[in-house]
Every structure is written in C-alpha cells, then in structure tokens.
Amino acid sequence: MPVLSANQGQIWRRRTSRTQWAIWASWLVGIAIVGYCWKLVSDRTVWFFVTDAGTQAADLASRMVPPKWSYMDVLWRPVWDTINIATLGTVLALAMAFPIAFLAARNTTPNSAVRAFALFVIVSSRSINSLIWALMLVAIIGPGIFAGVLAIGLRSIGFCAKLLYEAIEEIDAKQVEAIEATGASGGQKLIFGVIPQILPTFAGISVFRWDINIRESTVLGLVGAGGIGIQLDASISTLAWTQVSLILLVILATVVVSEWVSAKVRHAII
Amino acid sequence: MLSRAPSLKRPGRRSLRTMSETSVPSYPRSWKKPPLIANRFLRWGLWFGAAIYLSLALGTMEINWGRVAEGLPRGQRFLSAFFPPDFVSRWDSIVDGILESIWMTVIATVAGIALSVPVGLGAARNLAPTPVYLFCRAVIAISRTFPEIILAIFAVKLFGFGPFAGFLALSIATIGFYAKLLAEDIEDMDPGQAEAVKATGAGWFQWINYAVQPQVMPRMIGLSVYRLDINFRESAVVGIVGGGGIGATLLTAFDRYEFDSAAAILIIIIAIVMVLEYSSGYLRRWVQ
Amino acid sequence: MLRLEALHKRYRTGDQALKGVSLEIPDGQVLALIGPSGAGKSTLIRCINRLVEPTSGSATLGDTNLTSLSQGALRAARRRMGMIFQEYALVERLTVMENVLSGRLGYVGFWQSWFRRFPADDVQEAFRLLDRVGLMPMADKRADELSGGQRQRVGIARALIQHPELLLVDEPTASLDPKTSRQIMRLICELCSERGLAAIINIHDVLLAQMFAERIVGLRLGEVVYDGPPDGLTPEVLTDIYGEEDWEATIEAVEEDEDGDAVESAVVEKTGAA
C-alpha cells in the first residue's frame, strides 16, 4: 500500500504511481485501438442509410404487423424438422465427442500425438460456425435436413468434447487408483473408475448443447440445410413481412420451450 | 456409532445370523443394479417414447440417399479441391475481410459490454426494482433468442450493407450473452460483503463500486475475452447476409467454387480462434 | 511371505521418498507402518503393488518378483494384494454392490464387467462379505449415501473379495472419528486373523498402531528407524521417528485405553460387525 509523505502529512493512494501510470497507459492504448477500429468501420459505412434507419424501421414494423397467422399451417412441418435437426445432430455429436474426449483428456489419452490430433479436431469443429459447416455440406450432399443434421453434429463435436474432456481431467484420481489396485485392465478402469464420475456432466452437456442447437438449427435453412430457416429465407426474399414476423414469433416460442425443457431436465439430473 | 446404529434397528438381521450359525448361509447368487428410474411404467414409457420419436424423426427426414451417394465422390473431389489451400490468389481480399472482421469484433465487443453493464445490473434480482428487472430480462431474452445471423439480416435491412450492420448485430448478441452472465454473477455474490459496504453508509454507486464490482470483476474480464472470441467466430457468418467481414469473402469463394481459397480462409479463422483461446486462458489465469 | 529388498523411490521432482527399505513380512502378520507425514509410508505400499513404480530394489510376494512383472502379469499379481485407502476411494456414483464387485475386476473380462455380469459365486461372496461387515441392507445404496465408517467397510469388502494374500492398508482411519477408527481397525485385524492374511497398515495414530498391530515399523525420511514389537515404542524411539516432543502422555494413554477398550470390544462383539 503506497503512502506518500507530503507537506500535509501522509496521503494514502490505492496504487503506486508506477502502476497508476501503467493503468492509464493501457486505457489509452485500448481506447486508441477501439477508436481506430471505429474509424475504419465508419469509413466503410454509408451514413445516409444509417440516419435513414429510423424511418426504415418504422416502415418495416408497420409491414410486419399483424403476423399472418394462417401461414402457421405451412410452418408445422419446418418446426418439426428444426427440432429433429437439433436433436439428431446432438445425438450424432455426442456419439463422436465421447471417444474424442477420452483421447483428448490428459489422464486417459494413449499418447501425446493422439492427444494433439484430438485437440485439433475439437478446435476446428468449434471454430467453424454451423452455418459454414452447412454451406459446405450442402455443396457436398445437397440441400436438405440431412446436411443440417451433419452440420449441427460437426459443429457440436468440439463443444461437447471440450467440456467432457475437461470433466475427465477433473475426476477424482483416487477412485481410479483404487480400481487399478484390484488388477483391473485399462478398459475396466474406464468403465468402473472414470465413466461413473463423468456421467452426470455428460448428461448436463447433452441437454445444454441441445438447447443451443435448437437455436442454431432455426437458421440453417438460410443456406439450404433444412428447417424453418428455409421459410424465413423465402419470406424475406419475397418481402412477405407478415410471414417473417410469424416465423420470428415461432422461433421465439420454440427457443423458449426448449430452454424450459432443458432447464427441467438439467434440474432433474442434478 | 453411526455405522453401527442401523444394524441394531434391523429386525431381520439377527435371524439371519442365527441361521448362519446353525446351517450354511444362503446368500443370493445373482444381483441386478437397481434401475435409474424406479417406476417401471415411467422407465418403459420413456424408452418407448424415445424409440417412437427416433423412428418418426428418421422417417420424416427424407434423406435422398441417391443424392448422398452421388455426393460422396463429389465430396471427395470437393475435399481434394480444398487441398492445397490457396492463400495467394485471393490474398488481398482475404486480408481485407479478416481485418474488417477484426475491427467489427473489437468495437462490437466493447460496445456490447458497455451496454451490457447497465442491462446486467438491471437484470440482477438483488439490485433492481421489479419493473426494471422485468424490462432488462426481456431485453436479454430477445437478444439471446435470435441467432446472430437473424439480427444481421435485420441490421442489414435497416442500416445498409457493410460492417456497421455486422457491428450492430454482434453488439446486440453480446448483450444477450454478457448481461445475462453478469446478472447471474451478481445474484450469486456474497451478500455479507455487500451488506457490510452498505452499512458504512455508502451511496448506490459507491456501493456498486466497492461491494459488487470487486466480486464480479475477475470472472467478467475472463468472459469478455471469451466473448471477443465468440464475436470473431460469428463475424464470419454475418458476412453471409451482407454484414461485412470475412464472411462475405468466404461466401464469394464458395459461390465461385474456389474451394482452395475457402480452405485458406477457414484455416486462418481456426488459427485466429486458437490464438484468442490461448490468450484468453492465459489472461484468465493472470486475472485470478 | 512378502519380502522387500532395498526399495528406492525417487520422484521426478527429485524427492527421495524411499531410501533402501528392506522388510520381511511372514504370512498372517499384521504390521503397522508409522511415521510423520512425508516419511514415505504411502509410497512404500504403492511400490509394492506398483501403483508407484519403484526406482530400484525388489518386492517379492511368495515367489513372484513383483518389480519385474509385465503389465499383464502385474494385473494378475495385483489380484493377490487387496488395498484399502485413506478416504475410502470408493467409486461414489456406483452402488455399494458394484463397489464390492469391482474387487473381482481382475478376474472377469471387459464385457462381463460392462454389463455387470459377475459370476454367481462372486455375487454370493459379495453378499457374504457385505453381511460380514454389517452392510447387507445397503447393497443397493449409492456409495456416496453412506457414512465414513460404512464407506470404509465397503472398501474392506472390496479388498477382501479379491481373496488376497496380503492387505495393503493406507491410512484407513484418517478421516474417521476415534470410535469408528477403532471399529475399523478391529475389523481389519479380525479379518486378517480369520483368513491368515498378512497386512501392512499405514497409520498416523501411534495409539491405534500399538493397540492392534503385532509389529511396528517406524519410517523416517524414507528409512526404517524402528522395527519391533508395539511395547518397544519408548519415548526415545518415538523421538527418533517423529522428532522431539513429550511422548509420556501418548504412552500412558495407551495403557489406560486398553481397559476401556475391553468393555467396548465386548459390546461390539454382541452387536457389531461380527
């Protein structure tokens, strides 16, 4: 705690002058960076459109109400597809993430080369958005739900495997040691010592990711990978704004329900 | 004591023991693990329901296996078209796109977090009066529900093409993420410390500054780097609908079947995400 | 018969945990290993079943040289050594019965253990042991629902179902209250004499060691500094093991305790684990 001696006596300061200067300097650098980025973005912005946004918004809002309720008849099937994409994609991801997590965890991996490979799979899967996965898959296997399921699956492997391998690294090593001491083989150590300890986490991760995937699968249709996004894309491009507002409401409802379900299930598990 | 008490209360045990003294004890020769769900109807009902759902879901999936089979060799060609990645021929537009993504990411993260602080304070049950609480929670719920790309579609619609729209979409998405976690963190804070500062007669802002901020700060710094990382990844997709950044370059590469350039872009994205992830882990350790 | 010859262990951090420990433990002998924290007690028993690899020296059980075994042969050898842990080390999310049956893992194959299809004889033996340690009605409970003493009884059953020749016991009472500690120690010793098992018991508590073991080995900084009967633990010897302290009270307490203990042990015989 720095205390300065001055004419009036001692003055307390929270920081020494050196740290205070360092903090000021880092603020300055931070603000400079943000300001520079802002300038570059604003250079590429047509400010006329931005200032005009208010009227645009009012115009759009007036065109969006009331939602075209009758369009709902068409939407039931896409909603069902959206849920299926999320669910099947999650199942697929979990099936693949489970072994990868064991290869990536420091305490269960066979060797460091395999671990590096597993970590690379995890990072690539996580870095690429499900929409981009969908973009590629639609190019390979054609548009449709299947591409959506695969896209969600590929995107979720990294997420699930990362959380799972962190859980595996945090298990109680003594329980595994005790199983090892009975003369158990490597595989038996996993099924008796490790898996029971991570099962609750695994269940939690599945529900958590399913909830996120519902959200993500609502937009996969924008690139042709099935689900309600297809209708959204079609309605926007035909300027059918009353349909768009209904679709947005349906997405909102689906997400709220899925969040409620996942909260309930997570509560029941833990 | 504890461990012995149950055996005293058990009536069946004594008879078991006297039996074992007189004759060969008969212990069960088989054992089954008790099922997770005790109620048999519920258990079978759940299995049955899951089976029906799966068959329905797979049945209505309408996989065009012909198309998939046809796609596999094409997929191979597609994959081989990815290799080797071509960094050279589109290098200028890749650099331009990546830089634009980075600018967008930086200002969207800063603006989003700046806006998240009031919203997050308002959405904390233990700080805000009910009307404010409900309003802030509604803001969070809406911005969380819609994926970045839908926000971007509307931002482009209203504000025109370019990075400004992407910046707005990412900022709004950041509010949904960051304000929610901030509010939850504040709700979980130690009430003892908060009370102690209040007891000194501190005003509201002083109270926030001295009691709340120190408790939530370390985690929030870590989360802001994490959100920077997410925003960068998302900036790759807002471009698909015209929100600026690397996404536009990527979409162009796909549209022109320049998969080797697309591969180069994806590799650059992965590399940047890895760097961000590594540094966020480092920063989080440093803060705590 | 277990024979340790010049066991050395140096950890990768450079800590020399064991400096040439040689011991010979005849069948059926219960040996207590005492010494301050960091003396190498845990390392010593883990070097025997090679949960920790000794740096040099040898451990021989019967006529098997444990230190030179391949992985597969080591599995088979581990079946002959039951281990009981500090803080129980039960797999908390499995049932009591699964924990006991896990002692048979060295004898069954992978898929058998995956589907929990243990041979009928093993299941029967598991029930018999659970009854012996007084936990028959707990078989279907999850291990984390049990009290500390109950968990350690499950740990004992898990070690015994291996039909070991030797028990390696690591601080069995470290997290138990004094009374439960005694019950657990008594149970271990009774079971050893019933089955003619040899045991090495690491224990902090000098009192308990003197009460239950027939032989005491004192370890300090990885070296044996005392090896003899319990009543040979004079203040001088304890000072040698643990360092300077007033040891008279400890030794007197043991003498008083033996009277009180006789009463308690009678109570336990009537109601308790037997």
Side-chain angles (χ1 to χ4, degrees), chain A residues 38 40 44-45 53 77 80 84 87-88 123 126-127 129 131-132 136 140-142 215 219 241 252 259, chain B residues 53 57 60-61 67 71 75 78 82 96 100 103 144-145 147 149-150 159 233-234 237 250 254 274 277:
Chain A
W38 172 249
L40 292 169
R44 295 198 176 180
T45 308
R77 182 60 202 271
W80 165 251
N84 289 342
T87 311
L88 297 177
V123 173
R126 275 160 52 76
S127 315
N129 196 288
L131 267 170
I132 296 175
M136 291 198 270
I140 300 178
I141 57 172
R215 227 171 286 229
V219 292
W241 294 107
L252 186 73
E259 202 154 275
Chain B
Y53 170 76
T60 54
M61 216 159 83
R67 178 76 172 81
F78 185 81
F82 268 103
D96 192 56
E100 199 171 76
W103 307 335
R144 266 169 61 77
T145 302
I149 190 139
I150 294 188
F159 297 93
R233 274 182 267 167
E234 295 296 336
V237 294
L250 188 64
F254 270 105
M274 274 173 87
E277 201 154 281

Side-chain angles (χ1 to χ4, degrees), chain B residues 4 10 27 29 31 33, chain C residues 98 121 124 131 140 183:
Chain B
R4 203 182 327 135
R10 249 180 301 115
Y27 292 104
R29 291 179 62 82
W31 174 82
K33 187 182 167 82
Chain C
E98 283 171 296
D121 287 342
Q124 192 173 27
D131 196 29
D140 284 346
Q183 292 171 348

Side-chain angles (χ1 to χ4, degrees), chain B residues 208-227:
Chain B
I208 295 292
N209 186 219
Y210 275 79
V212 181
Q213 195 192 346
Q215 291 196 52
V216 299
M217 209 53 183
R219 197 170 115 85
M220 286 300 129
I221 291 179
L223 280 175
S224 60
V225 183
Y226 180 47
R227 185 65 215 189

Side-chain angles (χ1 to χ4, degrees), chain C residues 7 23 38 41 58 60 83 95 97 103 107 123 144-145 152-153 168 178 181 206 210-212 216 228 238 248 257 267:
Chain C
L7 269 186
L23 280 177
K41 304 194 297 288
S58 74
T60 320
M83 189 158 176
T95 58
M97 193 62 183
Y107 294 86
V123 175
D144 53 7
E145 293 175 56
Q152 196 53 286
R153 284 159 196 265
L168 302 170
S181 296
V206 179
Q210 283 175 291
M211 253 153 67
F212 291 102
I216 306 266
L238 285 171
E248 290 301 332
D257 251 55
V267 175

Side-chain angles (χ1 to χ4, degrees), chain B residues 157-208:
Chain B
K157 201 86 213 157
L158 297 180
F159 297 93
F161 288 97
F164 188 79
F167 151 70
L168 274 182
L170 293 180
S171 307
I172 295 169
T174 303
I175 295 177
F177 171 88
Y178 200 82
K180 175 163 188 278
L181 292 173
L182 177 63
E184 277 167 8
D185 223 30
I186 293 175
E187 283 171 356
D188 287 344
M189 75 178 179
D190 174 15
Q193 295 180 36
E195 213 170 30
V197 174
K198 210 167 213 173
T200 64
W204 195 81
F205 280 104
Q206 288 171 319
W207 180 55
I208 295 292

Side-chain angles (χ1 to χ4, degrees), chain A residues 25 40 51 68 72 76 81 85 91 106 120 138 141 143 157 159 178-179 182 190 199 214 216 220 228 233 243 251:
Chain A
L40 292 169
T51 47
K68 187 177 163 194
M72 199 59 218
W76 289 114
D81 285 344
I85 291 173
V91 171
R106 241 178 235 113
F120 177 73
V138 167
I141 57 172
I157 291 175
F159 179 93
I179 296 293
T182 66
L190 288 188
L199 268 187
I214 288 274
E216 298 210 336
L220 291 179
I228 199 168
D233 192 36
Q243 291 180 17
I251 291 178

Side-chain angles (χ1 to χ4, degrees), chain A residues 246-258:
Chain A
L246 181 72
I247 292 173
L248 292 183
L249 284 176
V250 169
I251 291 178
L252 186 73
T254 315
V255 169
V256 167
V257 170
S258 79

